Amino acid sequence: MSFNSNKDVITRFITEFWNGNNLDVLDELLDPAYYDYSSEPRNREGLERLLAITNAAFPGHETIIEEIACEGDTVAVCETFRGTHSGSFRGLPASGKQFEVGRYHFFKVTNGKITSQRGLIDLPSLLQQIGANN
């Protein structure tokens, strides 16, 4: 696969799965041995669970790709994650507050399939913006 093909896989993952809530696209995009360093359990089930939690807390959330780079089988993505806190999150009741935070992911893509991902979100900023420190 070319660098551009690997980037296309990840762009599609973010657009169709994360923003579009299309669980079926995972059949095409995830390797059967997919490993997720950021979710529990560390597989497809954990990824689907993370999306469900996110949708419940921040319905209509959006991830915007700010930068995407590829080297070998690794695709790095700098994202902006934004939405409105409309449901419970980490025990915090909905505040109705909008937020916008940075998020970073590193994906491994082999033969057109995502084999793993690692992610990091600016959680302190998110919590502050939705009123956790007030």
Side-chain angles (χ1 to χ4, degrees):
M1 301 278 316
S2 71
F3 292 159
N4 285 337
S5 296
N6 287 348
K7 287 181 190 179
D8 291 343
V9 168
I10 300 310
T11 298
R12 187 169 174 216
F13 171 80
I14 293 167
T15 302
E16 294 184 34
F17 171 72
W18 196 251
N19 287 341
N21 298 301
N22 179 0
L23 298 178
D24 294 334
V25 77
L26 295 180
D27 294 335
E28 297 175 46
L29 298 180
L30 292 189
D31 185 86
Y34 168 79
Y35 190 83
D36 192 328
Y37 292 89
S38 306
S39 300
E40 285 291 337
R42 297 194 180 282
N43 55 23
R44 178 180 173 154
E45 178 187 345
L47 179 62
E48 291 178 2
R49 184 180 297 168
L50 179 61
L51 181 63
I53 290 167
T54 302
N55 284 338
F58 315 115
H61 61 86
E62 180 182 22
T63 295
I64 300 157
I65 297 173
E66 302 293 349
E67 295 180 56
I68 187 167
C70 185
E71 183 175 323
D73 64 354
T74 301
V75 180
V77 186
C78 175
E79 307 163 342
T80 296
F81 177 61
R82 66 181 177 196
T84 302
H85 182 213
S86 301
S88 179
F89 180 69
R90 293 188 165 219
L92 298 168
S95 66
K97 294 182 177 182
Q98 294 183 343
F99 66 89
E100 185 172 294
V101 296
R103 190 166 63 181
Y104 307 92
H105 279 102
F106 288 87
F107 297 89
K108 293 283 188 185
V109 180
T110 305
N111 297 322
K113 302 280 187 175
I114 302 169
T115 58
S116 70
Q117 78 163 305
R118 298 174 188 265
L120 179 65
I121 187 169
D122 186 353
L123 187 59
S125 180
L126 173 61
L127 292 172
Q128 181 180 28
Q129 289 180 50
I130 64 174
N133 300 328
N134 296 338

